[in-house]
Amino acid sequence: LLGLLAQFPASFRRNPDNISYLIWMRRFFDRFRFVAEFRHASWLSPDVPEMLTDNGINWCSVDEPQLPGLLPPEAAATGGLGYIRFHGRNKEDWWRARPGSDRYLYDYSESELEEWARKALVLAAECETVFMFFNNCHFGNAPKNARTMKKLLGIPDVRPSLRGDLPL
């Protein structure tokens, strides 16, 4: 287990109660690296990075539609861990609350991924580890986009051999 991600909805805004809850969660899971993913722009307050760093909480950078109140696509780190999640930029379906929502139906263009590849390299210079997760899961877009990202970063595409063994 490389760490725990606490993913909070856009309704989880920066306020004293939620900050206390976040710090309590961190202490409860003190044996693990801890990452917080915020969706609401109130967490962009200048005091938040220091509060997260002081409490051993890593910031999760997100790529999501640019809609009022959501976070911009910026890379940041508050510890030795860089963590990026790609949710897609499907503005039309983002707020639709229905089963089978197409919120994550999005196929990143190579130029959109190039923007993040540059940001990931900056994080890699600041952090001991950088994780990137693609959540745009519809129609196989996540693995396709992850493969493109690996290519942009010069990471070899490792494929299992015919016997099913992965090279070490």
Side-chain angles (χ1 to χ4, degrees):
L1 182 62
L2 299 172
L4 298 175
L5 171 70
Q7 179 184 355
F8 296 103
S11 59
F12 188 79
R13 297 174 185 215
R14 185 182 147 274
N15 62 47
D17 287 341
N18 287 343
I19 290 170
S20 294
Y21 178 68
L22 183 66
I23 293 170
W24 174 85
M25 281 185 69
R26 175 61 188 123
R27 291 184 181 141
F28 187 81
F29 294 110
D30 67 342
R31 294 180 40 216
F32 306 100
R33 285 196 274 189
F34 189 80
V35 181
E37 177 181 347
F38 305 110
R39 298 285 181 94
H40 193 267
S42 62
W43 291 96
L44 294 175
S45 176
D47 62 321
V48 168
E50 183 177 357
M51 180 272 297
L52 295 176
T53 300
D54 290 349
N55 288 284
I57 301 169
N58 291 281
W59 176 268
C60 177
S61 301
V62 294
D63 187 88
E64 59 191 355
Q66 292 307 283
L67 294 168
L70 296 182
L71 292 171
E74 297 176 3
T78 56
L81 180 66
Y83 202 103
I84 304 169
R85 289 195 74 208
F86 295 89
H87 296 296
R89 299 176 181 182
N90 188 348
K91 289 181 180 184
E92 293 76 27
D93 290 310
W94 191 256
W95 296 120
R96 291 187 193 183
R98 67 181 196 279
S101 170
D102 290 334
R103 172 183 281 195
Y104 303 112
L105 174 57
Y106 192 79
D107 185 11
Y108 284 93
S109 69
E110 190 162 326
S111 65
E112 289 169 330
L113 293 174
E114 284 172 349
E115 295 170 25
W116 274 103
R118 287 190 295 275
K119 295 173 188 179
L121 291 172
V122 171
L123 282 179
E126 299 172 6
C127 302
E128 67 183 56
T129 305
V130 176
F131 293 113
M132 303 170 94
F133 295 92
F134 287 82
N135 191 34
N136 57 326
C137 49
H138 289 59
F139 300 109
N141 289 330
K144 175 185 156 196
N145 292 158
R147 211 171 280 119
T148 301
M149 180 62 78
K150 286 174 66 174
K151 180 186 87 174
L152 292 170
L153 293 171
I155 300 169
D157 196 14
V158 177
R159 306 251 185 204
S161 69
L162 293 177
R163 295 183 325 208
D165 299 329
L166 287 175
L168 297 178

